[in-house]
Amino acid sequence: MAAHLKKRVYEEFSKVSQQVSLEEVPAAAKKLRLTKPSKSAALHIDLCKATSPTDALQYLLHFARKPVEAESVEGVVRILLEHYYKESDNSVRLKIASLLGLLSKTQGFAPDCIVDDAINTLNNEKSHQVLAQLLGTLLIIGTQLPDKIAVIQRLIDVACKHLSSTYFGVRNKCLQLLGCLGTVDKPLSKETDAGPGAQTSHVRDVQSVISDYFQDQDPRVRTAAIKAMLQLHERGMKIQQTIYNQACKLLSDDYEQVRSAAVQMVWVLSQLYPESIVPIPSSNEEIRLVDDSFGKICHMVSDGSWVVRVQAAKLLGSMHQVSPHFLEQTLDKKLMSDLRRKRTAHERAKELYASGEFSSGRRWADDAPKEKVDTSGVNLIDSGACGAFVHGLEDEMYEVRISAVEALCSLAQSSPSFAEKCLDFLVDMFNDEIEEVRLQSIHVLRQISTHITLREDQLDTVLAVLEDSSRDIREALHELLCYTNVSTKDCIQLALLELLKNLTKYPTDRNSVWNPILICFCPPSIQMSEVPWCSAPNPGAADYIAVLVLVFNAAKSCPTMPALFSDHTFRHYAYLRDSLSHLVPHLRVRNLPASLNKMFAKMILICVTYRDLLRLGELQTELAGSADFCATYLHCQLLLTKALQEKLWTMAVPLCLKQNAKVSTAARQILDETYKLEFLYSGLETQQIATIHNVRLQAKALQLILMARSKRGVDRVLGVCEKFLQDVESFQRLFMTELPHFQDSFVEKLLELMPRLTACKPLDLVKILQTTLRQSRFIHLKLPEQIHRASATIIEPTGESDNPLKFTSGLVVALDIDATLEHVQDPQTTVKVQVLYPDGQSHIIHPKPGDFRTPGPGRVRLITQVYLSHSAWTEACQVEVRLLLAYSSSSSKPSASKPVWNESLDGLPTSESCIEGTIHLSKPVNVFIMPKPARR
């Protein structure tokens, strides 16, 4: 090794000498060649300069921070190994062993050339810590060479050899190496068997070797053994069923980590061998393995460690093959008193509700156990599953309660009968002290709503949550009521009253209450006489609209209801159908005003026009995205056609200055519309984006022509022409596959004339553009299946208050913003708040990422504060607040894969330099403010 090192250093020295000698050659004959400095030579020089282990360690730490090229890795490894054999300090050797593993992962380097040297370092190593690190390096090398069967087998042999080490860290690494590299097709021979049973002479496989360490004296080794077995399972190897008994014994281990790994091992085996039969201890009975494992995991829900309890509860939710008998026992917490079965609180409450009686206190011990339990009929195996979820839902740790709720949801979705039985328990969780638990319980009940029907006593508990101060809780409950079935008509009346109270106490909830909740909640059997609000012609607006939406949706399923409508109800239906079409269904009624029928007929017949497309988007929310998109695209074509009329272009330039201003405004408007088309709508395909870019090029060409026709623009035409030609080349590069769809289009004609355009003068280019614009044909836009338009609605402030916000001039006042966002892509980086003051000042505020919430797919809630400040005013004035969508044209262009080092920047907001412009995302809201002069 020393001779090899000297040779490498001599070669590096020769390269440097040759470069120095070149400097002495005359300038005419001098040839320069740039070479990268050798990493291995620099490392060797540094290590040779080290006078102590501390210095050597510092040099190694400094070297680890620098990248190493793939072609230099082998040389660096040789230098490190050379120093490893000479080093006596354990910490330095430990760092060298760590660097060997780090270098083995270098992209483009094949570590099979250093396998022999890495294995040889194990022979004379006395330090247990260094030995464990070296085994970790071998594990890294093995994972880099999965196809090298011979190398893998050598590494497995090394692991088996060192399994007899007295240090737990070495045994852990060996087990980890066996789990990650071991194979079942090639058993371990008796010579390489180094486990506790090494005295046997039979041939054993990797699973039997790993399972021997399930009983190791060190809990860390026992944990590593189970995890190694699980690693074999993750790699696709089927674990032997004989492991099951050993894993079950580890469920009672004294250490938390062992029990946690054992729970996962038992669950894996229950999924692999669900129908296998296993005996019940101390009994002649047998049971399915999945039922037996279910009972054992249920028992772990009462474990002393909350981490194990969380894991056990989560795993129970995925055991869908368990027998219904065992599944139902998880909710049957049998309270024993002198071998008598005591009824649970849920059973007593249900019985009293059915009988209509409640305990008056006159009957002593009315909840005493009534039935005698037959001791011979008590099956000990049932005690594991008994009341498991009851324990989980009552656990002191909220993480366990959440896991139990989620597991109940998963099991109830596949078993309607179990869903009915767990309903009481889930409803009780609505009163949990932790908001996250309450919210998750509501979401779970929503997911199993198709299997359940709420009783009146259960509905009382559910509706009590409408008083919750958390907006998220209330909105989730509104969503739940939308899909929940109730048992009686009285439940409907009760829910309706509580919802109207909710509107009174929390007016900001009106959108959540009006939305699908009233659509699906009402059964067809409701009668108009049972809704007193419908008999009055002028009731409260909010209550009346909510009830009408409820009634009209009920009428959709009950054809006899429209006959009971009064005249003003028909008029209100026409209005609500026009203004709230996403909430009010279409009803077949004869008394509907004729004007509305004519409007629908006209909309269907001439929906291809611009005006009717906009109207179609307002009336049919499911078509709003496509209708608005088509209307905006059609508007661009109309503006472009009007701008290219012949009268303008045949006039002399000095005579058409006013027309130039109008066309310039139209061109600017077309550009703005194309940015809306590209960034305000989601679901677009490459063909639609290419069509938008074609229109944008036409608008830019129009601007270029107008600039050349003005005196001030002559000097700037050259730079704008170059930029325009770059845009054309960029179009060809980005949308090469879409060019066949652009026959006779503006961009196709430009690409055909591209050699001529790049060589001609700017004014000639302008003339060609003018001719090409007027000869280009209209490109038909083919729509994808679904297009969504990004939109935002500011809920608060409403802009209806006449009371100004007063604050001291020069200071700030906080304004609460509550808005809903629909179909906005990446809202945390694109959505901005704009504040426009009466004097023309405009401020852009960037909301914090934590201000955005996601209540449902495609919907985002923004709840933030903006701070207003201004100098003193003499009277209150309006400040305009609205939401903007920031965009950058580079964000829509196809880009190469992102480098790994840039992944950490994903969550950061977009820098201002990347933003090209903004689009109005919401309607403006006016807020009165009054800055007062400071008192002196």
Side-chain angles (χ1 to χ4, degrees):
M1 181 64 70
H4 177 73
L5 176 61
K6 292 179 180 179
K7 182 178 179 181
R8 292 295 299 271
V9 174
Y10 178 76
E11 292 176 353
E12 298 295 334
F13 179 76
S14 299
K15 292 179 181 179
V16 176
S17 301
Q18 292 176 4
Q19 294 177 15
V20 173
S21 61
L22 287 175
E23 298 179 357
E24 301 176 359
V25 181
K30 184 180 297 185
K31 295 182 180 180
L32 297 178
R33 184 180 63 176
L34 299 178
T35 60
K36 296 182 180 180
S38 173
K39 302 288 184 180
S40 56
L43 178 62
H44 174 71
I45 295 174
D46 289 340
L47 292 177
C48 290
K49 292 190 298 184
T51 58
S52 65
T54 303
D55 293 342
L57 192 59
Q58 289 296 327
Y59 286 127
L60 292 174
L61 290 172
H62 180 70
F63 174 78
R65 302 188 189 101
K66 299 179 179 180
V68 180
E69 296 81 5
E71 58 271 14
S72 303
V73 171
E74 185 176 358
V76 172
V77 169
R78 303 299 178 192
I79 297 298
L80 290 173
L81 290 172
E82 176 75 16
H83 193 77
Y84 175 88
Y85 290 118
K86 297 187 299 183
E87 183 59 55
S88 59
D89 187 80
N90 291 341
S91 61
V92 178
R93 296 204 311 279
L94 183 67
K95 184 59 181 177
I96 292 176
S98 174
L99 284 176
L100 292 177
L102 184 64
L103 291 170
S104 299
K105 294 189 293 185
T106 303
Q107 188 72 22
F109 173 69
D112 50 353
C113 60
I114 63 173
V115 171
D116 294 334
D117 295 321
I119 294 178
N120 291 336
T121 57
L122 300 171
N123 296 332
N124 300 321
E125 184 56 58
K126 303 300 182 184
S127 171
H128 294 305
Q129 290 84 357
V130 179
L131 189 59
Q133 184 62 59
L134 289 172
L135 289 170
T137 297
L138 292 179
L139 174 60
I140 295 174
I141 294 175
T143 54
Q144 301 294 320
L145 303 171
D147 300 330
K148 304 288 185 179
I149 305 300
V151 173
I152 298 298
Q153 188 60 42
R154 287 188 62 190
L155 297 180
I156 294 175
D157 295 341
V158 170
C160 293
K161 176 182 177 182
H162 290 86
L163 271 173
S164 58
S165 174
T166 58
Y167 181 57
F168 80 93
V170 175
R171 300 202 299 277
N172 280 359
K173 288 296 182 180
C174 291
L175 290 170
Q176 186 179 1
L177 200 148
L178 290 177
C180 294
L181 303 179
T183 56
V184 295
D185 54 349
K186 188 172 184 180
L188 305 177
S189 61
K190 58 184 179 181
E191 291 81 11
T192 61
D193 186 1
Q199 67 277 8
T200 59
S201 58
H202 61 279
V203 176
R204 307 168 62 229
D205 62 7
V206 66
Q207 291 191 32
S208 61
V209 171
I210 294 176
S211 63
D212 284 342
Y213 290 86
F214 284 5
Q215 290 82 33
D216 193 273
Q217 61 181 356
D218 194 298
R220 292 165 291 190
V221 179
R222 297 198 295 272
T223 304
I226 302 175
K227 290 184 177 180
M229 195 71 73
L230 292 172
Q231 184 66 29
L232 291 178
H233 169 71
E234 292 177 2
R235 293 172 52 215
M237 302 181 187
K238 192 171 184 179
I239 306 301
Q240 300 170 1
Q241 186 180 345
T242 55
I243 306 296
Y244 180 71
N245 291 332
Q246 296 175 282
C248 291
K249 292 179 181 179
L250 294 175
L251 293 175
S252 58
D253 197 275
D254 294 336
Y255 291 88
E256 169 189 328
Q257 295 84 354
V258 179
R259 298 197 303 273
S260 177
V263 168
Q264 191 172 359
M265 189 75 244
V266 170
W267 177 84
V268 167
L269 291 168
S270 71
Q271 305 302 304
L272 292 176
Y273 307 98
E275 301 299 329
S276 298
I277 303 300
V278 295
I280 300 176
S282 304
S283 173
N284 295 327
E285 300 180 11
E286 294 180 334
I287 191 174
R288 295 165 66 226
L289 190 146
V290 66
D291 294 334
D292 184 63
S293 60
F294 184 79
K296 288 180 168 56
I297 297 178
C298 282
H299 183 72
M300 302 305 293
V301 177
S302 302
D303 191 84
S305 169
W306 71 270
V307 177
V308 177
R309 299 200 299 271
V310 168
Q311 185 181 25
K314 288 182 177 179
L315 292 177
L316 288 178
S318 60
M319 302 184 73
H320 299 285
Q321 296 175 304
V322 68
S323 300
H325 172 64
F326 283 93
L327 188 59
E328 294 173 2
Q329 279 189 345
T330 58
L331 301 175
D332 187 14
K333 188 179 181 181
K334 296 179 180 179
L335 306 178
M336 297 295 180
S337 177
D338 297 331
L339 291 181
R340 292 180 182 270
R341 183 180 181 276
K342 187 175 181 180
R343 292 174 299 168
T344 64
H346 289 296
E347 292 173 330
R348 296 197 301 272
K350 185 176 182 180
E351 181 179 343
L352 290 173
Y353 172 76
S355 63
E357 298 180 358
F358 289 90
S359 177
S360 61
R362 296 179 180 178
R363 292 179 295 173
W364 180 259
D366 58 354
D367 63 342
K370 298 297 190 296
E371 61 176 289
K372 182 76 175 179
V373 178
D374 185 7
T375 56
S376 62
V378 177
N379 192 348
L380 295 180
I381 194 65
D382 296 347
S383 62
C386 181
F389 281 123
V390 180
H391 287 295
L393 295 175
E394 297 175 354
D395 198 276
E396 61 179 353
M397 303 297 293
Y398 81 93
E399 294 91 347
V400 181
R401 301 199 296 273
I402 289 180
S403 299
V405 168
E406 293 174 347
L408 278 177
C409 173
S410 179
L411 294 171
Q413 284 180 316
S414 58
S415 175
S417 61
F418 183 71
E420 285 289 345
K421 289 181 173 60
C422 70
L423 180 57
D424 279 324
F425 299 92
L426 289 175
V427 170
D428 279 350
M429 300 307 294
F430 283 26
N431 298 320
D432 196 274
E433 60 182 356
I434 302 298
E435 178 181 340
E436 188 176 350
V437 179
R438 300 198 301 272
L439 186 60
Q440 188 62 27
S441 302
I442 297 173
H443 288 323
V444 164
L445 211 60
R446 159 68 182 91
Q447 295 180 49
I448 65 173
S449 58
T450 56
H451 301 318
I452 61 175
T453 300
L454 289 178
R455 302 191 309 267
E456 188 171 349
D457 61 319
Q458 295 168 337
L459 184 61
D460 286 336
T461 305
V462 171
L463 294 177
V465 185
L466 289 173
E467 301 291 330
D468 200 295
S469 60
S470 170
R471 186 198 304 265
D472 295 336
I473 293 287
R474 297 196 306 272
E475 291 185 352
L477 190 63
H478 297 160
E479 187 78 9
L480 167 64
L481 291 175
C482 168
Y483 297 96
T484 303
N485 298 319
V486 292
S487 56
T488 64
K489 296 180 181 178
D490 294 336
C491 293
I492 299 174
Q493 189 78 2
L494 176 63
L496 186 58
L497 289 172
E498 293 298 327
L499 288 168
L500 295 177
K501 290 181 182 179
N502 185 197
L503 279 176
T504 303
K505 186 174 182 179
Y506 299 103
T508 57
D509 288 357
R510 60 182 179 272
N511 289 337
S512 177
V513 172
W514 284 356
N515 224 17
I517 171 174
L518 295 178
I519 297 178
C520 307
F521 195 73
C522 185
S525 58
I526 189 172
Q527 298 297 325
M528 292 294 294
S529 59
E530 299 176 9
V531 186
W533 295 274
C534 293
S535 60
N538 295 308
D543 295 351
Y544 184 57
I545 291 175
V547 174
L548 280 182
V549 172
L550 168 67
V551 171
F552 291 146
N553 280 275
K556 184 179 181 181
S557 304
C558 185
T560 60
M561 286 186 63
L564 303 175
F565 290 173
S566 59
D567 292 339
H568 69 268
T569 305
F570 280 114
R571 292 195 300 270
H572 294 163
Y573 169 74
Y575 168 75
L576 292 178
R577 175 60 184 163
D578 191 21
S579 59
L580 298 175
S581 60
H582 62 293
L583 298 179
V584 179
H586 174 65
L587 300 179
R588 295 180 178 272
V589 290
R590 298 179 180 178
N591 296 332
L592 195 64
S595 59
L596 194 63
N597 290 328
K598 291 181 180 178
M599 183 187 67
F600 286 143
K602 180 180 179 180
M603 181 185 65
I604 296 174
L605 291 175
I606 57 174
C607 64
V608 294
T609 63
Y610 169 66
R611 194 180 314 172
D612 290 335
L613 281 172
L614 292 178
R615 190 60 177 162
L616 178 64
E618 295 175 359
L619 298 180
Q620 299 290 336
T621 55
E622 64 274 11
L623 301 177
S626 301
D628 292 347
F629 183 82
C630 292
T632 307
Y633 178 73
L634 183 59
H635 189 214
C636 292
Q637 297 297 334
L638 292 174
L639 289 173
L640 187 62
T641 303
K642 186 176 181 180
L644 294 175
Q645 58 184 337
E646 296 183 2
K647 183 178 178 181
L648 172 66
W649 305 104
T650 56
M651 294 175 61
V653 173
L655 301 178
C656 60
L657 295 179
K658 182 180 295 187
Q659 286 80 356
N660 276 352
K662 294 181 180 180
V663 175
S664 179
T665 302
R668 182 66 251 179
Q669 192 174 358
I670 294 172
L671 280 179
D672 294 340
E673 297 284 21
T674 60
Y675 287 118
K676 290 180 182 178
L677 287 172
E678 184 173 2
F679 298 102
L680 207 56
Y681 297 87
S682 59
L684 301 181
E685 299 174 356
T686 309
Q687 184 176 352
Q688 287 82 47
I689 297 176
T691 305
I692 296 169
H693 279 247
N694 176 65
V695 178
R696 189 176 301 163
L697 282 177
Q698 290 176 294
K700 290 182 177 181
L702 189 59
Q703 287 184 329
L704 178 56
I705 296 171
L706 294 175
M707 181 184 296
R709 292 167 65 90
S710 63
K711 295 181 179 179
R712 297 181 180 179
V714 175
D715 298 334
R716 295 184 296 165
V717 168
L718 180 60
V720 178
C721 289
E722 294 178 354
K723 180 64 173 61
F724 180 80
L725 293 178
Q726 292 176 3
D727 292 339
V728 177
E729 293 176 352
S730 177
F731 184 96
Q732 184 181 19
R733 183 174 64 256
L734 295 175
F735 306 109
M736 178 65 71
T737 58
E738 303 299 330
L739 290 179
H741 301 289
F742 290 86
Q743 294 182 359
D744 297 331
S745 66
F746 176 70
V747 69
E748 185 191 45
K749 294 180 181 297
L750 287 184
L751 292 176
E752 293 176 355
L753 298 172
M754 201 62 184
R756 180 182 172 187
L757 296 177
T758 55
C760 68
K761 297 179 180 180
L763 294 181
D764 294 335
L765 184 144
V766 170
K767 293 179 181 179
I768 297 174
L769 289 180
Q770 180 176 338
T771 304
T772 307
L773 268 177
R774 299 179 63 183
Q775 293 178 352
S776 301
R777 74 174 183 90
F778 174 79
I779 299 298
H780 294 283
L781 185 64
K782 296 182 180 179
L783 294 181
E785 295 182 359
Q786 190 71 36
I787 295 180
H788 295 291
R789 186 184 190 275
S791 62
T793 303
I794 298 179
I795 302 174
E796 291 292 338
T798 59
E800 300 173 355
S801 176
D802 294 332
N803 298 324
L805 295 175
K806 298 181 180 180
F807 61 97
T808 303
S809 173
L811 300 181
V812 297
V813 60
L815 178 65
D816 292 325
I817 302 293
D818 182 1
T820 58
L821 310 177
E822 300 282 346
H823 306 293
V824 178
Q825 303 292 325
D826 195 15
Q828 295 184 0
T829 57
T830 58
V831 175
K832 315 296 178 186
V833 182
Q834 182 190 44
V835 179
L836 184 62
Y837 292 94
D839 60 354
Q841 295 186 33
S842 177
H843 292 170
I844 303 295
I845 295 93
H846 309 275
K848 297 180 293 185
D851 295 339
F852 295 90
R853 304 178 184 179
T854 307
R859 293 190 293 124
V860 177
R861 194 71 174 270
L862 172 61
I863 302 178
T864 186
Q865 281 188 334
V866 298
Y867 298 97
L868 309 180
S869 179
H870 210 281
S871 57
W873 296 349
T874 56
E875 61 182 18
C877 292
Q878 289 183 344
V879 172
E880 187 178 281
V881 180
R882 76 189 317 157
L883 297 185
L884 303 177
L885 183 71
Y887 66 85
S888 172
S889 59
S890 60
S891 62
S892 66
K893 298 177 181 179
S895 58
S897 59
K898 180 174 54 181
V900 177
W901 52 264
N902 198 29
E903 291 180 353
S904 60
L905 302 179
D906 290 346
L908 297 179
T910 306
S911 62
E912 290 296 329
S913 61
C914 298
I915 298 177
E916 292 187 6
T918 56
I919 303 172
H920 290 174
L921 194 58
S922 70
K923 294 181 179 179
V925 174
N926 294 324
V927 180
F928 275 98
I929 67 172
M930 181 61 189
K932 301 182 297 182
R935 295 182 179 179
R936 297 182 180 179

